[in-house]
Amino acid sequence: MRPVPSTLPDSESIRADDLRAVWPILSAEDRAEGFLLLPRDDAEEFFLELDSHDHAALLMAVPPNARRLWLRYLAPDDAADAIQQLEPEERGELLCLLDDLARNEVSGLLAYADDAAGGLMSPRFARVRPDATVDEAIAYLRRQARNQQIETVYYAYVLDGMQRLLGVVSFRELFVASPEKHVSEVMKTEFISLPEDMDQEAVARIFAQRDLMALPVLDAEGRMKGIVTADDIVDVVEEEATEDIQKLGGMEALDMPYLRTPFGEMVRKRAGWLAALFLGEMLTATAMGHFEDEIAKAVVLALFVPLIISSGGNSGSQATTLVIRAMALGELRIRDWWRVIRRELASGLSLGVILASIGFARIVIWEHAFHSYGEHYLLVAGTVALSLIGVVTWGTLAGSMLPFLLKRIGFDPASASAPFVATLVDVSGLVIYFTVAQVILSGTML
């Protein structure tokens, strides 16, 4: 039997770019082999580019002596993220490879939920005493930076003996202050802080609003536990946006990247919503059956069913997408529902009139060109036009209000996915359409 050729580049010419190109298709063993062949500088840069899933898998695939080296190369928050991806028995194995200080820091971070401010923070931050002079503070911060005890050098945090946060001072303010001044004289006592249990989506919103590089995380007693930096929030924003988009597509959010999600889990997360939507669409057939007599008398009405229900579903999907995104950005709260319903009522009517005009013109033009709809074509055109106004307005209102309802009862508004709204509006759209038809066509076609 011929050996299977390796997907790795030749070991004598391996470069980081070569490994990046084939990384997605490599097995864990091949990834570890290729990584260990990189020059040290390239390996360090490559390792820091990986996400927490890849950090965890690579650490468990490399030999034990390399595992210790690369685990200690990670910052405590990154090490905690990587360890959190592993099974409980593997977590203990990696924790034992850390020195006492790092182990305590990582263990403390693992105690927080991974989507809370405490789970995002780094415990290594620049700290100074309020009674230190500016010169003493700068010298102390230089030693902290040299010993790699701080995550970022944008701000220094002024703590008392109980580790309570008294103020914040930027490095620029320290450098321009008189050397003999005390830190307490140059620090700012008005600052923004994060509770350790704040949800990561709310944390990301604060960063976006305030345009800051780092924010302190405090416990209930005001003691400082760490800092969340802007680069941490980039990953959060991507994660939250991915989750919302997947839910809007009518499925459960995936817990890991698409190509790494097991086939069974992928099917399970998609099948539930699909089955629910399928059962919902069965009501469309029920509604059609209820108006069977009307369809039999005026078969032409059936020609416009897809047009009517798709227009309502599309308008509802637009509205729910706009409202959910506005909620995610903090632009809308539950108390704003009345403002939204007034705005969407006007929008729905306007959009309905636009589509009704197009629909009416289309039927009239086709009748004159092909004689497709019979002698009562103007009544048919009027039925379709009025139905479009009603269905599009209803779809817009339903799509905009459903996220508010779900949030009010404690569910994620993104669960009001576009397919769900479309299914809801399909059924009600049929009822509106055939009710309008009964009123307008009664005594002529019906």
Side-chain angles (χ1 to χ4, degrees):
M1 183 175 179
R2 296 178 62 186
V4 178
S6 172
T7 50
L8 286 172
D10 187 283
S11 61
E12 295 181 358
S13 60
I14 189 169
R15 297 179 303 137
D17 289 343
D18 297 327
L19 190 57
R20 286 189 190 96
V22 297
W23 188 262
I25 63 173
L26 294 179
S27 65
E29 293 75 16
D30 283 344
R31 287 181 175 185
E33 179 185 347
F35 176 73
L36 294 174
L37 290 173
L38 292 174
R40 178 56 186 266
D41 290 345
D42 289 348
E44 290 178 359
E45 181 181 352
F46 184 89
F47 187 65
L48 292 179
E49 291 174 359
L50 299 177
D51 60 25
S52 56
H53 293 281
D54 282 344
H55 279 150
L58 186 58
L59 286 169
M60 298 308 297
V62 298
N65 58 332
R67 187 177 304 161
R68 178 188 297 270
L69 170 68
W70 289 107
L71 178 62
R72 293 186 174 191
Y73 191 72
L74 289 175
D77 52 333
D78 294 328
D81 289 341
I83 291 173
Q84 211 157 29
Q85 309 302 320
L86 301 173
E87 298 298 325
E89 59 273 11
E90 295 174 326
R91 294 180 185 181
E93 182 181 341
L94 286 189
L95 280 172
C96 291
L97 299 178
L98 297 169
D99 57 53
D100 292 340
L101 174 61
R103 188 184 307 116
N104 290 335
E105 290 174 335
V106 172
S107 297
L109 293 174
L110 290 173
Y112 294 101
D114 59 355
D115 60 351
L120 297 173
M121 72 182 182
S122 169
R124 296 183 177 178
F125 54 91
R127 62 192 83 195
V128 292
R129 301 189 318 273
D131 57 347
T133 65
V134 168
D135 255 2
E136 290 172 341
I138 292 174
Y140 181 61
L141 291 172
R142 185 179 293 116
R143 288 198 301 273
Q144 290 183 70
R146 189 181 299 122
N147 296 330
Q148 297 183 335
Q149 294 176 340
I150 54 178
E151 170 85 3
T152 179
V153 294
Y154 295 113
Y155 309 106
Y157 300 92
V158 186
L159 309 180
D160 65 12
M162 300 296 292
Q163 299 301 300
R164 289 189 292 263
L165 182 60
L166 302 177
V168 179
V169 59
S170 70
F171 275 46
R172 180 182 181 281
E173 289 166 337
L174 282 177
F175 289 144
V176 300
S178 299
E180 66 278 2
K181 276 192 172 183
H182 289 88
V183 171
S184 58
E185 298 177 74
V186 297
M187 71 181 186
K188 293 181 178 178
T189 55
E190 294 183 3
F191 50 82
I192 302 168
S193 63
L194 307 173
E196 58 187 347
D197 58 351
M198 177 179 279
D199 181 76
Q200 63 179 12
E201 195 168 356
V203 174
R205 196 175 301 128
I206 291 175
F207 268 90
Q209 293 169 347
R210 300 294 182 171
D211 196 26
L212 297 171
M213 299 303 298
L215 283 173
V217 178
L218 310 182
D219 65 11
E221 285 74 39
R223 293 189 295 265
M224 187 161 174
K225 310 300 289 185
I227 58 171
V228 176
T229 56
D231 60 327
D232 298 320
I233 297 304
V234 171
D235 296 332
V236 170
V237 171
E238 180 181 354
E239 179 185 332
E240 292 290 342
T242 300
E243 181 179 330
D244 286 347
I245 290 170
Q246 289 171 346
K247 287 182 177 180
L248 283 171
M251 60 175 288
E252 292 183 50
L254 300 179
D255 298 323
M256 57 186 69
Y258 174 81
L259 291 177
R260 285 204 295 264
T261 302
F263 177 77
E265 184 177 352
M266 177 78 74
V267 171
R268 180 183 63 80
K269 286 182 175 290
R270 295 168 69 173
W273 267 105
L274 277 180
L277 294 171
F278 180 74
L279 292 173
E281 288 290 358
M282 286 183 176
L283 296 175
T284 304
T286 303
M288 291 284 286
H290 180 74
F291 295 102
E292 184 177 0
D293 292 341
E294 286 79 0
I295 295 174
K297 292 176 184 177
V299 179
V300 68
L301 292 177
L303 298 178
F304 300 102
V305 167
L307 174 71
I308 298 296
I309 63 177
S310 64
S311 297
N314 291 340
S315 66
S317 299
Q318 284 184 341
T320 197
T321 301
L322 290 172
V323 170
I324 289 171
R325 189 56 184 160
M327 284 182 169
L329 296 174
E331 298 170 358
L332 290 178
R333 295 176 175 80
I334 292 180
R335 66 172 180 265
D336 297 319
W337 71 273
W338 180 242
R339 296 172 60 192
V340 172
I341 201 171
R342 287 185 299 172
R343 187 181 184 90
E344 289 302 316
L345 177 60
S347 297
L349 286 170
S350 301
L351 294 169
V353 168
I354 292 171
L355 296 187
S357 302
I358 297 172
F360 189 93
R362 192 267 189 197
I363 293 173
V364 172
I365 293 171
W366 248 247
E367 174 59 28
H368 283 89
F370 306 109
H371 306 289
S372 303
Y373 305 121
E375 60 178 320
H376 301 294
Y377 71 93
L378 286 177
L379 293 178
V380 173
T383 299
V384 170
L386 288 176
S387 298
L388 280 169
I389 295 174
V391 170
V392 170
T393 302
W394 164 244
T396 302
L397 290 177
S400 61
M401 288 298 102
L402 195 56
F404 285 100
L405 176 61
L406 290 174
K407 188 168 186 177
R408 184 67 182 85
I409 60 180
F411 288 97
D412 187 347
S415 299
S417 62
F420 182 74
V421 173
T423 302
L424 173 66
V425 176
D426 283 354
V427 180
S428 52
L430 283 173
V431 175
I432 293 172
Y433 177 42
F434 285 107
T435 301
V436 172
Q438 284 177 330
V439 173
I440 294 180
L441 301 178
S442 179
T444 52
M445 299 179 69
L446 297 180

